[in-house]
């Protein structure tokens, strides 16, 4: 039996969201896989790594999935306060140190290029991974050990922009794409060894899934509330009920970059590790 608009919304608003776990709306939305496989790429690179940093680990879900492959020295950063303890709990069984980063040092928009210091010593990490988290390329270059690698999958500025257009809200980012990010990485002295970008069709099957998503990802529509956007959401609900899913475009890009192999290695953490 199909639900009414109010039933979908009430259920979505009552549901919890924790860490970076969208299982509540499993099967009710989809994002196609990228043409590259970030997890497989990282898993392959872990074979060469004796130390790993995961930037912006969220609730630690992705890193935990790599558990058996993690090097003994694995650290993760997290700046969103509610997720620091979630990540610590998830990653404790794998011996991962989760470093809380001061929220003041975090960009208001987690997907934008950010300028914040990483709490790690120079040239101290073999592999820095970053899925859907902002980064300061200079900081990444600073902490990478000689011959180390940076692997990042980013959400581009065009991601899900159809939602903003339908709701009549400003787009979340003016510009963030492979070209600009690659420039930043190269300007930091890293050598880009793989770069890919893709636009793919994603979709929401019911308005409850869309509302849940927009509450979990508050930077997509910054002033989102169901009341504020009720007419547009009701129109989308009617469309989804009769015509099928609301299709949107996802925008992703991948950069793998290497640091020069000839610098001097130093596998020490900064004094404030573990804060
Ligand atoms: C897009 S998530 C990706 C997390 C992880 N790297 C992954 O791939 O699963 C990026 C960041 O958003 C943070 N985040 C979640 N909810 C947030 C909120 N309401 N405000 C700011 N950041 C939030 C997460 O803690 C995480 O660090």
């Amino acid at each position: 039996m199909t639900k009414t608009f109010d039933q979908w919304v009430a259920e979505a608003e009552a549901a919890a969201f924790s860490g970076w776990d969208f299982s509540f709306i499993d099967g009710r939305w989809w994002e196609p896989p990228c043409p590259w496989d970030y997890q497989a790429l990282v898993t392959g690179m872990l074979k060469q790594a004796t130390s790993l940093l995961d930037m912006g680990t969220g609730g630690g879900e992705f890193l935990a999935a790599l558990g058996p492959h993690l090097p003994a020295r694995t650290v993760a950063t997290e700046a969103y306060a509610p997720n620091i303890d979630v990540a610590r709990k998830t990653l404790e069984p794998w011996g991962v140190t989760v470093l809380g980063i001061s929220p003041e040092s975090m960009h208001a928009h987690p997907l934008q290029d950010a300028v914040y210091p990483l709490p790690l010593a120079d040239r101290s990490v073999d592999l820095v991974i970053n899925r859907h988290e902002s980064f300061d390329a200079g900081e990444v270059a600073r902490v990478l050990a000689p011959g180390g690698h940076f692997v990042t999958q980013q959400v581009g500025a065009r991601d899900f922009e159809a939602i903003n257009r339908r709701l009549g809200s400003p787009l979340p980012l003016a510009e963030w794409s492979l070209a600009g990010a690659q420039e930043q990485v190269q300007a930091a002295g890293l050598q880009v060894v793989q770069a890919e970008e893709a636009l793919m069709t994603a979709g929401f099957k019911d308005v409850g899934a869309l509302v849940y998503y927009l509450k979990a990802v508050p930077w997509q529509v910054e002033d989102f509330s169901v009341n504020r956007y009720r007419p547009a959401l009701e129109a989308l609900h009617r469309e989804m009920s009769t015509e099928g899913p609301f299709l949107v475009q996802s925008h992703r890009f991948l950069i793998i970059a290497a640091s020069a192999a000839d610098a001097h290695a130093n596998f020490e953490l900064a004094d404030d590790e573990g804060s």
Side-chain angles (χ1 to χ4, degrees):
M1 200 183 69
T2 65
K3 292 179 185 159
T4 65
F5 176 82
D6 288 332
Q7 284 170 330
W8 280 125
V9 166
E11 191 190 83
E13 296 213 293
F17 178 71
S18 168
W20 198 245
D21 175 7
F22 286 87
S23 54
F24 178 73
I25 54 169
D26 273 356
R28 295 165 54 190
W29 75 309
W30 76 92
E31 286 189 290
C34 296
W36 58 89
D37 184 339
Y38 175 79
Q39 180 160 350
L41 287 165
V42 169
T43 305
M45 295 180 83
L46 280 172
K47 293 187 183 120
Q48 319 283 325
T50 60
S51 52
L52 169 72
L53 164 65
D54 181 27
M55 295 177 65
T57 200
E61 298 87 353
F62 175 75
L63 201 52
L66 300 178
H69 306 282
L70 295 178
R73 222 197 99 213
T74 298
V75 296
T77 54
E78 178 53 43
Y80 182 54
N83 277 348
I84 297 173
D85 280 344
V86 178
R88 284 194 172 133
K89 212 178 211 169
T90 308
L91 295 173
E92 198 179 15
W94 300 106
V96 176
T97 304
V98 177
L99 306 171
I101 290 187
S102 140
E104 293 84 59
S105 64
M106 189 190 176
H107 218 280
H109 191 303
L111 305 182
Q112 216 155 18
D113 50 321
V115 179
Y116 59 75
L118 289 170
L120 296 169
D122 296 357
R123 301 188 292 270
S124 61
V125 191
D126 285 342
L127 182 62
V128 175
I129 63 170
N130 173 319
R131 191 177 71 164
H132 306 175
E133 174 68 342
S134 54
F135 64 88
D136 172 349
E139 275 295 277
V140 172
R142 180 184 66 76
V143 303
L144 271 181
H149 285 87
F150 176 46
V151 186
T152 185
Q153 177 177 296
Q154 292 283 306
V155 177
R158 297 181 63 187
D159 196 61
F160 286 18
E161 64 183 6
I163 298 178
N164 300 68
R165 293 194 196 287
R166 278 303 297 260
L167 299 191
S169 67
L171 295 177
L173 284 180
E175 186 48 49
W176 185 232
S177 63
L178 176 61
Q182 202 171 331
E183 238 169 65
Q184 290 182 8
V185 167
Q186 283 163 337
L190 299 174
Q191 192 191 350
V192 173
V193 293
Q194 189 173 342
E196 297 190 45
E197 186 160 37
L199 291 169
M200 298 154 289
T201 303
F204 292 89
K205 294 185 182 173
D206 62 71
V207 77
L210 178 62
V211 167
Y212 184 85
Y213 180 87
L214 290 175
K215 286 174 65 68
V217 184
W219 53 87
Q220 184 75 39
V221 176
E222 279 188 7
D223 60 352
F224 181 74
S225 76
V226 171
N227 273 343
R228 192 184 302 270
Y229 291 102
R230 182 172 288 270
L233 289 169
E234 283 178 340
L236 271 172
H237 168 63
R238 284 191 295 276
E239 261 176 53
M240 286 189 248
S241 309
T242 54
E243 292 166 32
F246 171 43
L247 300 181
V248 298
Q249 214 168 36
S250 71
H251 178 191
R252 298 283 185 276
F253 59 90
L254 172 85
I255 296 176
I256 303 182
S259 73
D262 54 359
H264 188 71
N266 164 19
F267 289 97
E268 293 306 310
L269 286 167
D271 290 345
D272 54 352
E273 184 189 347
S275 62

